[in-house]
Amino acid sequence: MPDTPSNLVLLVHRDTEGAHRSETTLFPPESLPEGDVLVRILRSGINYKDALAVTGKSPILRRFPMIPGIDLVGEVVASENPDWSPGDAVILTGHGVGETRHGAFAQYTRLPGAWLVPCPVSLTPDGAMLLGTAGLTAMLCVMALEAGGLKPDGGTEILVTGPTGGVGGWAVVLLKQLGYQVCAATGRLEHESYLRRLGADSIIHRQELTASNKPLDTQRWLGAIDVAGGKTLAGLLKFIHYNGTVAACGLADEPGLPATVFPFILRNVRLQGVDSVHIDRETRATAWKRLAEGIPSALFATFQERTVGLSGIPQACRELLEGRVRGRVLVDPFLDA
C-alpha cells in the first residue's frame, strides 16, 4: 500500500479539563489507521453525531487527537483487496469510523475493504452524502416498518419526528415516494413549506405527542419513525394503531424511555430498534440501491443547505446543535486546499 499523499484533516484535541479544540492541519500518513484500501475522500456530510463529536457535547470520540466524520464517499486510489480497484467509487458509513478510529473529515484515509459498499452509478458524490448516514438510517427505518408488515394504506399516516433534520427529512421523502401518507412532527413550524416540499401531508407541533397523560390515546398513526427518544417516543407510542410498528433510531431529545407497556400488550405495537453502524454489508448495499432508485433527483437540491471546507466544520456543527440547520451540510475536504 503506497503512502498517503499530503493529507489535510480536521483534528480534534481535548484539553485536561475536557474541552474540545479543532484545527485544520496536515496529517502524517503513518498515523492513519490500518486498512487494505486507500481512498481519496470526495465528500462527507455533517451528521448530528459529528456535531456532538466536534463540539464535545457528548463523548463520541474515544481517543485524542482524533479526526471525526462518520461517513464518506470517495475514489479508490490503491487497493490490496480483490473486491476493489483504483477508480472505484465507494461509500463508507459506520464501523466506528469517526468515533474509535480516524474518520472522514480528511482528504485521504485507509479503510478495510470489507467495510465499503459500491456507490450506485446514479448517485453523484454530492447526492451520496446528501443521503449519507442520515439517508441510510432513514431507509433502514423504512425497511423496519416493512418488516413489521406495514404497507401504504389509503389515508392512514406514518408519523416522522425530527423532519427538519437529516434522518427525519429523508424518512419523509422515502415514505412519500413509496406511497405512504406522512405526518411530520416538529418544533419548528416555520419550516412548514419546506416539509411540504419533502412530501409531508400534515404537520403537527411535537408538543402534541407529549400533551396526553393517558396511558393510551386515540389510534392515530399506522406506524412511526422516531429520532428523538425520551418523552417524544413514549408519547407517540400511545397513538399507534393496533399492529403498528415504530422504528426508533435516535436520542435527539434524550436516551430514556418513560413509557408504559400498554401499547405493546393492548395494541400489539412493535418497537423496532434501528442501527446503522454495525449492520451487515449485504443490508447496506441493498439499502443504498433502494436509495439510489427511490428518490427523484430534484429533491436533492431541496435537501442541501451548503457545502463547507474542513475549516468550516466547527461552526456548522455548532449551528446544527443550536437547531439552525435545515437539511444537510456537506463537506468538501479539498475546498480549503
Side-chain angles (χ1 to χ4, degrees):
M1 180 72 63
D3 284 341
T4 308
S6 178
N7 188 17
L8 193 66
V9 308
L10 181 77
L11 197 62
V12 175
H13 303 264
R14 183 177 64 185
D15 65 23
T16 55
E17 297 181 352
H20 286 204
R21 175 180 61 84
S22 303
E23 65 168 338
T24 305
T25 185
L26 289 174
F27 199 69
E30 64 273 12
S31 296
L32 281 177
E34 293 298 316
D36 53 10
V37 180
L38 177 63
V39 177
R40 181 178 188 265
I41 299 172
L42 301 176
R43 292 291 188 278
S44 184
I46 299 178
N47 300 279
Y48 186 76
K49 184 180 285 188
D50 296 319
L52 293 174
V54 171
T55 61
K57 297 295 185 182
S58 185
I60 302 298
L61 303 180
R62 304 306 171 86
R63 60 187 180 88
F64 295 88
M66 176 71 88
I67 303 170
I70 65 172
D71 57 15
L72 65 89
V73 59
E75 179 183 0
V76 173
V77 175
S79 175
E80 296 173 350
N81 186 301
D83 291 340
W84 306 107
S85 301
D88 287 344
V90 295
I91 293 173
L92 179 284
T93 60
H95 295 290
V97 172
E99 299 179 64
T100 59
R101 63 181 275 149
H102 289 305
F105 293 160
Q107 294 175 332
Y108 294 88
T109 192
R110 286 195 295 264
L111 295 161
W115 293 359
L116 303 173
V117 296
C119 180
V121 294
S122 60
L123 285 179
T124 65
D126 278 359
M129 284 298 101
L130 284 172
L131 290 163
T133 293
L136 174 65
T137 304
M139 177 54 78
L140 293 173
C141 287
V142 170
M143 292 164 67
L145 298 186
E146 294 171 341
L150 271 61
K151 298 178 181 179
D153 182 23
T156 306
E157 292 180 318
I158 304 295
L159 177 73
V160 177
T161 64
T164 59
V167 177
W170 281 123
V172 171
V173 170
L174 291 168
L175 289 167
K176 188 62 177 179
Q177 293 302 311
L178 289 168
Y180 291 91
Q181 298 292 301
V182 184
C183 176
T186 180
R188 303 165 71 185
L189 294 177
E190 67 272 19
H191 293 307
E192 178 177 356
S193 61
Y194 168 73
L195 295 174
R196 298 283 185 188
R197 290 199 302 275
L198 294 184
D201 297 285
S202 63
I203 298 167
I204 64 170
H205 198 285
R206 66 182 181 184
Q207 290 179 348
E208 291 188 34
L209 302 176
T210 56
S212 173
N213 292 320
K214 301 176 183 179
L216 285 176
D217 214 306
T218 305
Q219 297 182 55
R220 191 168 176 181
W221 297 292
L222 186 64
I225 294 176
D226 177 61
V227 305
K231 294 178 181 178
T232 298
L233 176 55
L236 70 86
L237 285 167
K238 303 175 183 180
F239 297 95
I240 301 300
H241 275 242
Y242 193 89
N243 279 339
T245 297
V246 175
C249 64
L251 42 67
D253 282 358
E254 56 181 324
L257 184 58
T260 73
V261 299
F262 290 121
F264 311 115
I265 65 174
L266 297 181
R267 288 187 179 162
N268 213 41
V269 170
R270 173 181 178 180
L271 178 59
Q272 176 63 57
V274 174
D275 164 62
S276 64
V277 176
H278 301 293
I279 57 166
D280 62 271
R281 188 178 182 182
E282 182 179 356
T283 303
R284 289 176 192 273
T286 298
W288 278 106
K289 185 173 184 294
R290 290 188 63 180
L291 285 168
E293 295 172 348
I295 298 176
S297 57
L299 280 173
F300 284 103
T302 301
F303 233 85
Q304 183 169 358
E305 175 160 307
R306 67 185 188 273
T307 299
V308 300
L310 296 172
S311 63
I313 292 173
Q315 178 62 30
C317 287
R318 290 189 290 270
E319 292 174 4
L320 177 58
L321 294 183
E322 293 166 2
R324 295 191 286 131
V325 172
R326 188 188 72 184
R328 293 276 284 169
V329 176
L330 299 186
V331 176
D332 178 350
F334 291 89
L335 203 58
D336 295 325

